[in-house]
Amino acid sequence: MSTLFKYSSITKKIIMGAFGLFLALFLLVHLTINLLLLSGDGGKMFSAASEFMTTNVLIKIFEYVLFGGFFIHILFGVIVTLKNWASRPVGYYTSNKSHTSFFSKYMFHTGVIIFIFLLLHFMHFFFIKTGWVQPPAGIEKHDFYGLAVALFTHKIYSLIYIAFFVFLGFHLNHSIQSGFQTLGLNHNKYNSAIKIVSLVYSVIVAGGFSLIPLYFMFIF
Amino acid sequence: MDLTLKIWRQKNSSAKGKFETYKVNDVSPDSSFFEMLDTLNQQIIETGNDPVAFDHDCREGICGTCSLYINGRPHGPKRGITTCQLHMRSFKTGDTIVIEPWRAKPFPIVKDLLVDRSALDLIIQAGGYVSVNTGGIPDANSIPVQKQKADLAMDAASCIGCGACVAACANASAMLFVGAKVSQLALLPQGKVEAADRVEKMVAMMDMLGFGNCSNTYACEAECPKEVKVTNIARMNRWFIRSKVGAEKPEAATYD
Ligand code: FES
């Protein structure tokens, strides 16, 4: 553990950033599959996709890579943040009035919120698949469509999910352009384009995921 | 104009400091911020007390000695200037101005508003130079330099090392400073030779001294009196990656 702290500041940032970008990309894959829930075919396509995602060997291996990605991103995020807090042991009396991007200051906070959501999300899906959590009455543990319907027709959960996606959007909004900067993939010519991509991507992901609970609340 | 000043007073580095409130009246809007502080200090001296200690030298925005965190911003409310270039017309009569020293673990307070910024010098000493043997002055045009690169190097070199980036940063990170110093040399042919080696050494020193990690909030760029760009941080990161993956580093000379 202590050797992790010894990595140079830039190395830690690069590891955190690279895994963050990888996770952000994965969200798009996850979203594409989830949007099949909206196809209105009684879950046929969605079930076929989840069947593929849960049985394909390559995807099973990828699952470990993904968990590793989450673990490393979070671990380095915490290490970097602890060092940052230690770098100013005595704070200012007046809160900082510098012009900065708003979301960038709350990456740790939004990160913690996303982590809590991740646990909740696992309780609702992944831990049911592994058998650690009992599925709701009458639903089989591999029936992801049934699980999704049971969850999202529940108004409170739907609202919680939407609220979390808003925070995920905040996190992504800063993180994509920030990841590019950290990896040194940055050029005066493309910087504004990268910022726009960052914004559009966060809106697509947060908006796209929110569509699903909204659909079940109002249309299903 | 009449002003209320709330100033951090601290006897020495180990004493416990606190804010003191002072009134200064009839300040000319055309006077500089430091002239206003000079007036205050004169008042304090006349009452037989210890004047407020603060750093300043050239008072024309070129040396990087002045500091001060004024109403929540290093170098005060105006963009692209140092505290010594700040004028009282940026404030209104009746204002309360809160003046604090720069806060960062590597910048210990010496007295009142005066902090020790020699940590930045240590970073330069770690590698912020070009190793050349002395000799005759080389001809100015012997090494051609691309105009754009020369401009970028010049922009990076405009950093006066005041430390406002550290003071503004939520993480007390010195990456804009180091990024500028790495860039100004790496962009030019004479400095490029040692760039990979230099970035490693300077970053290692920066980390050792306890500066934080940049989280790309870009408060540094917003507060830099010389408007040094955060693209310099990205360039430093690129050089850092290159230093780890295969860039040639100069080896220690061997005489055998
Ligand atoms: S005193 Fe020299 S820059 Fe302000």
Side-chain angles (χ1 to χ4, degrees), chain B residues 21-184:
Chain B
T21 309
Y22 302 94
K23 294 247 182 247
V24 268
N25 296 332
D26 300 324
V27 175
S28 159
D30 294 329
S31 65
S32 75
F33 197 81
F34 281 160
E35 281 164 344
M36 182 276 295
L37 284 182
D38 292 340
T39 316
L40 169 74
N41 273 345
Q42 193 58 37
Q43 275 178 34
I44 297 178
I45 291 166
E46 277 163 17
T47 58
N49 289 312
D50 201 17
V52 180
F54 59 92
D55 254 329
H56 58 104
D57 189 12
C58 72
R59 293 206 177 188
E60 50 188 33
I62 52 174
C63 72
T65 308
C66 57
S67 55
L68 304 191
Y69 191 82
I70 304 162
N71 287 346
R73 294 184 63 182
H75 293 306
K78 286 261 142 93
R79 214 187 157 99
I81 58 166
T82 52
T83 300
C84 59
Q85 295 170 289
L86 180 64
H87 282 79
M88 295 316 293
R89 51 182 164 269
S90 303
F91 301 90
K92 291 190 308 290
T93 187
D95 274 0
T96 297
I97 306 175
V98 184
I99 312 172
E100 298 174 68
W102 287 0
R103 300 270 188 199
K105 189 173 161 223
F107 289 171
I109 293 181
V110 179
K111 190 179 180 197
D112 299 337
L113 302 170
L114 211 138
V115 299
D116 180 359
R117 282 168 285 174
S118 37
L120 298 181
D121 299 334
L122 292 174
I123 297 176
I124 297 289
Q125 282 165 25
Y129 49 81
V130 175
S131 319
V132 282
N133 296 324
T134 51
I137 301 164
D139 181 59
N141 294 320
S142 61
I143 306 172
V145 179
Q146 232 177 29
K147 169 78 173 129
Q148 291 101 317
K149 292 222 168 150
D151 287 348
L152 286 173
M154 192 63 205
D155 289 347
S158 64
C159 164
I160 50 176
C162 63
C165 43
V166 178
C169 177
N171 318 313
S173 165
M175 287 199 186
L176 187 65
F177 170 79
V178 182
K181 300 301 174 193
V182 163
S183 291
Q184 73 178 45

Side-chain angles (χ1 to χ4, degrees), chain B residues 9 17 31 97 172 207 223:
Chain B
R9 301 301 310 262
S31 65
I97 306 175
D207 291 347
E223 297 301 354

